[in-house]
Amino acid sequence: MALIPRLDIAALDALELDPSTKGLPYDAPRLTVGAVGRQGWSLLDGDLPLPVAVIREKALAANSAWMSAFTAQNDVVIAPHGKTTMSPHLFDLQIADGAWAITAATLQQVGVCQRFGVRRVLLANQPVGTQAIDACFRALQGDDAIELYCLADNPDGVAMLAEGARRNPPPEGNPLRILVEMGFVGGRTGVRTRAGALELARAIAAAPGLELAGFECFEGMLPTAETADGLIDDVAAMALAAMQEGLFGSDAPVVISAGGSAFFDRVVERFDSVAFPRPVQRVLRSGCYLTHDVIAYAAAFERIVRETALKLPEGGLEPALEVWAMVQSRPEGGRTMLTMGKRDVSHDAGLPVPLRWYRPDGSMTAPAEIAGGHSVVALNDQHCHMITPLDSPLRTGDLVGFGISHPCTTFDKWSLLYLVDEDYRVTRGLKTFF
């Protein structure tokens, strides 16, 4: 299957930012998204209000290039989770580096993709309800029509999709493409048995306006690589069974896909172990690789490097997303308060980690690594509690840069992030659409 074209970034850059946007300076002029990088702003010079979320441009580009090389070397493609960033600028970077599609989780996210020109979207959910289902079929029509994949895991859901196809017949040659979702006991959605999955595949194949496109799973909730293997094997086994039964009506490669960022090596290894009688499109849906992190995905990547039998590109993934805050107070020995809280930074998969600090009085030429003994112990809505050594150099007005865990829940707290160079000068504004 062909890759997809670059996005309409000119339309994105032309959007005007609301002056009240979180992250913009208090007295910033009215700006378009594309003008942000031309303001000459610098984090270290005090031009940005704190807290602020920034992405280091060099690390971002390196991560994108690394995954592009990984997929090329291992005969897979990637449809990265757009929900991670909801930033069309970053979608475009991923597409430039060879993304096969962009994955969405909701119809609103599908709409954002379509608005800025993503031509192939994988909706990694089963749409339910008349509004959502009709929106899927409308997305297949008109001059900006997209190639849309979605999931199904139960007969009632398939019946709803089939009824939607009767209400809104899709154009010739552009059906709603369905992936049967495999799940596991105690997990989220997904068919729990292979027999149930094959029965569902038969129902999809028989429904006018729908096309059985393949099988998929989300293995990211499983605790270990070994437990993920079984679910990934289910996907491959059911794709093989459906091929043998002749359920795939088109000549297009059968899609087999898995979706997490923690076990993407095992996805490739397990899919590669099966000999299929017809072409398959192996699709990863990892999204967090783009900015990586300092806790959860850092540990997952260390396991991949240590265990995988796959060929890995040189280098590796590195954390690119940081949230910077200012020391507000040192009210008691060993405790420092900073201007950052739950509304600014992820905390669902680990508290932020202090990485570097900077004193904006001209005495430092660049941020310095923060010494051991500094650690975040709590977040309130707008405050960060950090334990600090009694001899910590930090004082009121200093800047501290934090690494994060789970990029998804930092991105969704910002409608505007800043791309910065290695000197923390702003090179671009990144608009998000949560």
Side-chain angles (χ1 to χ4, degrees):
M1 296 183 192
L3 299 181
I4 52 178
R6 300 286 297 275
L7 302 192
D8 184 3
I9 293 305
L12 176 60
D13 283 343
L15 293 179
E16 187 171 283
L17 290 168
D18 186 322
S20 301
T21 298
K22 178 181 175 181
L24 280 178
Y26 174 77
D27 56 353
R30 299 194 75 88
L31 293 171
T32 61
V33 173
V36 169
R38 300 193 294 269
Q39 301 307 302
W41 290 337
S42 166
L43 170 65
L44 302 183
D45 289 346
D47 297 323
L48 304 178
L50 272 68
V52 69
V54 302
I55 299 175
R56 292 170 43 240
E57 188 171 28
K58 184 177 179 181
L60 179 79
N63 290 344
S64 186
W66 189 94
M67 184 57 78
S68 179
F70 172 82
T71 55
Q73 289 174 6
N74 292 284
D75 192 28
V76 294
V77 295
I78 191 161
H81 278 291
K83 69 175 179 61
T84 298
T85 71
M86 283 310 296
S87 169
H89 280 123
L90 299 183
F91 298 172
D92 188 58
L93 171 63
Q94 293 168 307
I95 290 168
D97 281 334
W100 174 80
I102 296 296
T103 297
T106 68
L107 266 299
Q108 178 264 342
Q109 294 173 9
V110 171
V112 171
C113 290
Q114 191 170 21
R115 176 181 178 183
F116 294 106
V118 179
R119 306 316 303 163
R120 182 182 292 121
V121 179
L122 197 165
L123 175 60
N125 257 323
Q126 177 174 271
V128 293
T130 301
Q131 185 177 101
I133 291 170
D134 286 355
C136 288
F137 287 97
R138 289 197 299 273
L140 303 175
Q141 302 166 347
D143 292 339
D144 64 344
I146 61 176
E147 185 178 308
L148 181 62
Y149 294 74
C150 71
L151 311 187
D153 81 343
N154 66 82
D156 288 344
V158 171
M160 290 180 184
L161 292 172
E163 179 58 35
R166 285 190 286 272
R167 287 194 304 271
N168 307 275
E172 184 73 24
N174 195 21
L176 183 61
R177 296 163 170 89
I178 312 296
L179 303 176
V180 175
E181 182 177 20
M182 303 300 300
F184 60 94
V185 174
R188 297 190 306 206
T189 51
V191 186
R192 293 328 197 224
T193 67
R194 291 186 177 186
L198 193 57
E199 196 63 37
L200 198 65
R202 295 179 185 126
I204 295 166
L210 307 183
E211 181 179 289
L212 178 66
F215 291 78
E216 70 79 48
C217 70
F218 178 74
E219 77 293 351
M221 290 184 66
L222 288 162
T224 66
E226 290 72 27
T227 54
D229 285 350
L231 184 60
I232 298 164
D233 288 347
D234 284 342
V235 170
M238 296 320 301
L240 181 59
M243 290 178 191
Q244 293 168 340
E245 198 168 312
L247 296 181
F248 295 104
S250 79
D251 294 331
V254 173
V255 174
I256 52 175
S257 178
S261 294
F263 305 120
F264 63 80
D265 61 317
R266 300 303 272 257
V267 175
V268 179
E269 290 175 3
R270 304 309 295 179
F271 285 169
D272 280 352
S273 68
V274 180
F276 294 100
R278 58 176 287 175
V280 296
Q281 187 76 77
R282 298 168 176 84
V283 181
L284 299 178
R285 302 198 307 277
S286 311
C288 292
Y289 75 88
L290 191 60
T291 61
H292 204 45
D293 72 6
V294 301
I295 302 178
Y297 293 115
F301 190 67
E302 288 177 2
R303 181 204 60 78
I304 290 171
V305 171
R306 185 174 63 249
E307 295 181 1
T308 188
L310 299 174
K311 182 179 180 181
L312 299 180
E314 292 185 4
L317 301 177
E318 57 181 303
L321 174 58
E322 300 173 358
V323 176
W324 282 73
M326 187 172 284
V327 175
Q328 188 174 54
S329 175
R330 296 193 65 181
E332 58 191 58
R335 181 173 293 266
T336 296
M337 304 301 298
L338 297 101
T339 60
M340 174 185 78
K342 293 178 181 179
R343 293 181 173 175
D344 311 304
V345 67
S346 52
H347 52 90
D348 57 315
L351 292 170
V353 177
L355 300 177
R356 50 189 65 90
W357 71 285
Y358 181 78
R359 180 162 295 151
D361 64 356
S363 63
M364 299 176 70
T365 58
E369 286 190 21
I370 207 156
H374 296 73
S375 63
V376 174
V377 293
L379 294 170
N380 302 134
D381 285 353
Q382 313 279 188
H383 292 86
C384 172
H385 300 248
M386 188 166 71
I387 297 299
T388 47
L390 294 179
D391 61 352
S392 170
L394 294 180
R395 67 189 190 205
T396 299
D398 287 347
L399 282 58
V400 179
F402 293 86
I404 60 92
S405 187
H406 195 194
C408 298
T409 51
T410 291
F411 270 102
D412 68 8
K413 293 169 173 54
W414 298 90
S415 63
L416 179 69
L417 297 91
Y418 294 103
L419 201 62
V420 297
D421 64 16
E422 290 302 281
D423 295 318
Y424 289 91
R425 293 186 295 256
V426 174
T427 61
R428 177 181 279 282
L430 299 172
K431 180 78 179 74
T432 68
F433 293 86
F434 287 99

